[in-house]
Amino acid sequence: AYVGTKDQDQGEVYFRPSLTDPAEVRVTCDASVQTHPVVSPDGRFVAYASNETGSFQIWVAQVDNGPGTWDCTTLPRVQLTHSAGDNLWPAWAGVQRVVFSSTRADPLGDIVVMPFAGIGVPASDAAAQRLTDAPAAETQPTTVVLPDNATGVSFLAVVFTTTAFRPDGSLAWLRMPNSTDPGPFPVASVWGSAPAPQGERASVLNTGGTARLAFTSTQADPYGDVRVVTLDPDQRGTVTVLPRPDNGVAAEPGRAESCLLYTSDAADE
């Protein structure tokens, strides 16, 4: 899924079932601004942010009926959020929850998760679960499945950008709670107790049980580099995510590189 300007200058959301499939579904067709589309793990839905109602809200559209079956005026969709403030950067937490950044309670942004029960089911902000409540800015969430070596059971983690550890932003993570957990939910730096490098816009790939994290960093180049680390759960009872040595995959000095996106869980590079 991506945002393109071929039909509207402000951009519309498009979905293509695969990189090799030339057929695509135009998901939106209105005068509003759409951004941050992301496909559900089962390939059936696209979540995105739109200011169709004034502020940015999270919407989910169904796209699994095939190109040419629906057009953008009849595509089944549901508005997931209806809150004050802006709701941006959706990411799927499995197929029944969507996590995103919201300014509903903090103008700098918090990480919030909401259930998604299907296109035909009305959504209520009363079901929203606020995952972070620090005075820092928290945004750009993504999710990753990690193995807990202490219990042998994998768990879902949320990786996001925060200003909690340095003012220009770095990466943090938390364990995704159950929907009934009251919180508060512990937040930790991806880098453990080590100094946190500048980082934002994480993208995650799981290959063979190993989670690799790509992110944009201005640590070494003010124009931005793309870096990749491997996340390792520690052997203790409380899981700490530790990065293996940093690897720059796009780090040409003086050139801007950012926003790497993995396209396949089978890809090795």
Side-chain angles (χ1 to χ4, degrees):
Y2 63 95
V3 173
T5 58
K6 61 183 178 181
D7 293 305
Q8 296 276 3
D9 289 342
Q10 73 276 12
E12 302 289 356
V13 175
Y14 300 86
F15 166 75
R16 184 172 293 179
S18 71
L19 292 177
T20 58
D21 191 339
E24 67 182 9
V25 175
R26 182 178 174 185
V27 178
T28 63
C29 51
D30 55 54
S32 57
V33 177
Q34 278 77 224
T35 185
H36 309 146
V38 60
V39 182
S40 62
D42 59 6
R44 298 187 59 207
F45 303 97
V46 171
Y48 61 95
S50 172
N51 67 352
E52 180 177 338
T53 60
S55 61
F56 278 97
Q57 303 295 334
I58 305 299
W59 292 72
V60 177
Q62 187 173 347
V63 294
D64 65 342
N65 222 31
T69 306
W70 293 318
D71 64 31
C72 55
T73 62
T74 60
L75 201 70
R77 72 185 76 234
V78 64
Q79 183 177 342
L80 193 64
T81 64
H82 302 77
S83 72
D86 289 322
N87 301 280
L88 295 160
W89 297 99
W92 289 92
V95 295
Q96 295 183 323
R97 291 195 289 179
V98 177
V99 61
F100 53 92
S101 176
S102 178
T103 61
R104 64 185 63 196
D106 181 348
L108 296 179
D110 288 317
I111 305 301
V112 176
V113 64
M114 280 190 65
F116 169 66
I119 294 296
V121 181
S124 170
D125 280 283
Q129 189 177 21
R130 187 179 177 186
L131 301 182
T132 64
D133 59 1
E138 289 128 352
T139 186
Q140 301 170 342
T142 190
T143 60
V144 57
V145 176
L146 294 174
D148 186 338
N149 289 339
T151 65
V153 178
S154 297
F155 66 94
L156 187 67
V158 183
V159 179
F160 55 94
T161 305
T162 180
T163 58
F165 304 108
R166 55 182 295 154
D168 54 353
S170 63
L171 299 181
W173 76 285
L174 59 82
R175 186 186 290 248
M176 177 67 78
N178 295 323
S179 59
T180 56
D181 290 348
F185 308 113
V187 172
S189 170
V190 163
W191 310 95
S193 60
Q198 196 282 329
E200 58 186 274
R201 299 189 180 186
S203 175
V204 174
L205 174 71
N206 277 328
T207 44
T210 299
R212 295 163 65 185
L213 176 69
F215 62 98
T216 302
S217 177
T218 58
Q219 180 83 4
D221 184 346
Y223 292 96
D225 295 325
V226 173
R227 302 279 176 178
V228 174
V229 296
T230 300
L231 302 181
D232 285 330
D234 191 61
Q235 296 290 340
R236 294 171 297 183
T238 301
V239 176
T240 301
V241 178
L242 301 174
R244 291 181 182 172
D246 195 338
N247 176 35
V249 296
E252 184 176 347
R255 290 186 180 274
E257 296 113 358
S258 65
C259 305
L260 182 146
L261 178 65
Y262 288 115
T263 58
S264 172
D265 279 359
D268 187 51
E269 295 183 300

